[in-house]
């Protein structure tokens, strides 16, 4: 229904897992211990779809991940996507661009690099376990939009796109602030995260209308926290996770 309403592909439906597996440090442990789980495989499938889309439209490798509203699982999705790809051998940079309300640990990061001349090697940290490069939001600032609009920010993203296989910009919700619209101008592809049976359809419609005003390519939607109930067995995006005959692959 969502695909018909938006005329965009649903690239994946991410199965819901226990909160302890995806919150905080639990997510990194989960991806390390179960790299072939249905949860991890769904994220790898998203990247495979993005690569097809990228070749078809001759796009670059800067990906914007956003949502309509808070609490849709956007940041867990971007962390899972980037972590899974880094563990598979890709060179990935994830930039937490939510300078207002990120739940990431506050340390040197994006705002410090753009505004305070923090050395890049201090602003970007590499996770020893997965190999994922991470840039935190950094020190709180009074005007986050000024950081994101900065020419230094756009130059950094452009340079990073030449160094990494994937640059992922984790943006605040579109309907909350203007930040995602600003970042969309730097992105080659945009994914909109929608929470399974929770996000109102008119939220999604309004979000897509705002994003269409920018130059970014809307690659599709990702549905998160999907329950593997009986109805999931008739869903073309969930049948492989819901049917017991597929369990041996996960």
């Amino acid at each position: 229904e969502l695909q018909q309403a938006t005329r965009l592909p649903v690239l994946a439906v991410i199965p819901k897992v226990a909160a302890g597996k995806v919150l905080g440090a639990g997510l990194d442990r989960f991806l390390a211990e179960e790299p072939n789980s249905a949860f991890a495989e769904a994220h790898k499938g998203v990247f495979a779809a993005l690569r097809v889309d990228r070749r078809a439209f001759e796009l670059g490798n800067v990906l914007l991940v956003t949502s309509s509203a808070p609490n849709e699982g956007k940041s867990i999705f971007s962390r899972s996507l980037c972590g899974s790809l880094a563990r598979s051998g890709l060179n990935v940079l994830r930039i937490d661009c939510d300078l207002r309300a990120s739940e990431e640990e506050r340390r040197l990061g994006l705002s410090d690099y753009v505004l305070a001349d923090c050395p890049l090697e201090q602003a970007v940290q590499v996770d020893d376990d997965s190999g994922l490069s991470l840039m935190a939001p950094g020190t709180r600032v009074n005007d986050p939009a000024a950081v994101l609009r900065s020419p230094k920010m756009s130059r950094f993203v452009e340079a990073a796109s030449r160094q990494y296989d994937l640059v992922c910009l984790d943006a605040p919700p579109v309907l909350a602030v203007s930040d995602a619209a600003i970042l969309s101008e730097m992105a080659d592809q945009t994914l909109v995260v929608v929470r399974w049976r929770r996000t109102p359809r008119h939220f999604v419609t309004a979000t897509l209308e705002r994003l269409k005003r920018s130059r970014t390519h809307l690659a599709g939607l990702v549905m998160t926290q999907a329950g593997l109930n009986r109805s999931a067995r008739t869903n073309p995006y969930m049948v492989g996770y819901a049917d017991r005959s597929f369990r041996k692959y996960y």
Side-chain angles (χ1 to χ4, degrees):
E1 293 180 3
L2 184 61
Q3 184 166 273
Q4 293 176 345
T6 62
R7 296 185 180 180
L8 285 174
V10 176
L11 300 187
V13 177
I14 310 296
K16 185 176 183 178
V17 298
K21 291 185 176 183
V22 296
L23 296 179
L27 178 59
D28 295 326
R29 288 195 300 270
F30 178 43
L31 294 176
E33 294 171 359
E34 301 185 45
N36 298 317
S37 66
F39 180 86
E41 288 298 325
H43 291 82
K44 295 173 188 175
V46 170
F47 184 66
L50 289 173
R51 290 184 66 178
V52 172
D53 188 63
R54 189 187 304 171
R55 288 195 294 267
F57 293 94
E58 299 182 348
L59 302 170
N61 61 343
V62 179
L63 173 67
L64 176 72
V65 176
T66 188
S67 63
S68 299
N71 303 318
E72 295 193 74
K74 166 187 60 67
S75 292
I76 290 176
F77 168 76
S78 74
R79 288 177 57 205
S80 303
L81 175 68
C82 294
S84 295
L85 296 177
R87 289 180 185 280
S88 69
L90 292 179
N91 191 17
V92 180
L93 171 64
R94 177 179 177 268
I95 307 174
D96 189 337
C97 300
D98 192 345
L99 306 183
R100 305 170 191 262
S102 172
E103 296 181 358
E104 296 282 336
E105 175 187 354
R106 283 290 166 177
R107 58 177 184 265
L108 291 176
L110 179 59
S111 63
D112 305 285
Y113 172 70
V114 173
L115 297 181
D117 294 324
C118 171
L120 188 59
E121 57 269 21
Q122 294 183 25
V124 176
Q125 300 183 350
V126 179
D127 181 68
D128 293 333
D129 185 34
S130 67
L132 174 64
S133 296
L134 302 158
M135 179 176 260
T139 304
R140 293 188 183 277
V141 294
N142 293 328
D143 188 357
V147 176
L148 303 179
R149 289 196 195 98
S150 166
K152 186 174 181 179
M153 172 70 180
S154 59
R155 289 195 300 268
F156 167 61
V157 172
E158 183 177 357
S161 70
R162 296 191 293 269
Q163 179 180 350
Y164 293 90
D165 297 314
L166 177 69
V167 178
C168 179
L169 308 178
D170 186 332
V174 171
L175 300 184
V177 288
S178 63
D179 300 5
I182 295 171
L183 290 164
S184 69
E185 298 292 334
M186 306 174 205
D188 301 298
Q189 294 172 293
T190 293
L191 279 180
V192 177
V193 172
V194 179
R195 187 170 176 178
W196 177 268
R197 294 185 174 177
R198 285 287 298 272
T199 307
R201 186 177 298 180
H202 67 279
F203 275 23
V204 180
T205 301
T207 293
L208 297 178
E209 286 300 320
R210 293 191 187 186
L211 290 172
K212 285 176 182 177
R213 298 171 191 159
S214 69
R215 76 170 187 88
T216 192
H217 174 76
L218 286 168
L221 310 170
V222 172
M223 302 193 74
T224 60
Q225 302 185 49
L228 298 182
N229 53 29
R230 184 176 300 176
S231 63
R233 300 187 182 189
T234 61
N235 186 302
Y237 301 97
M238 295 295 292
V239 63
Y241 308 137
D243 194 297
R244 292 183 180 276
S245 65
F246 288 80
R247 298 293 171 86
K248 63 181 180 181
Y249 288 97
Y250 308 126

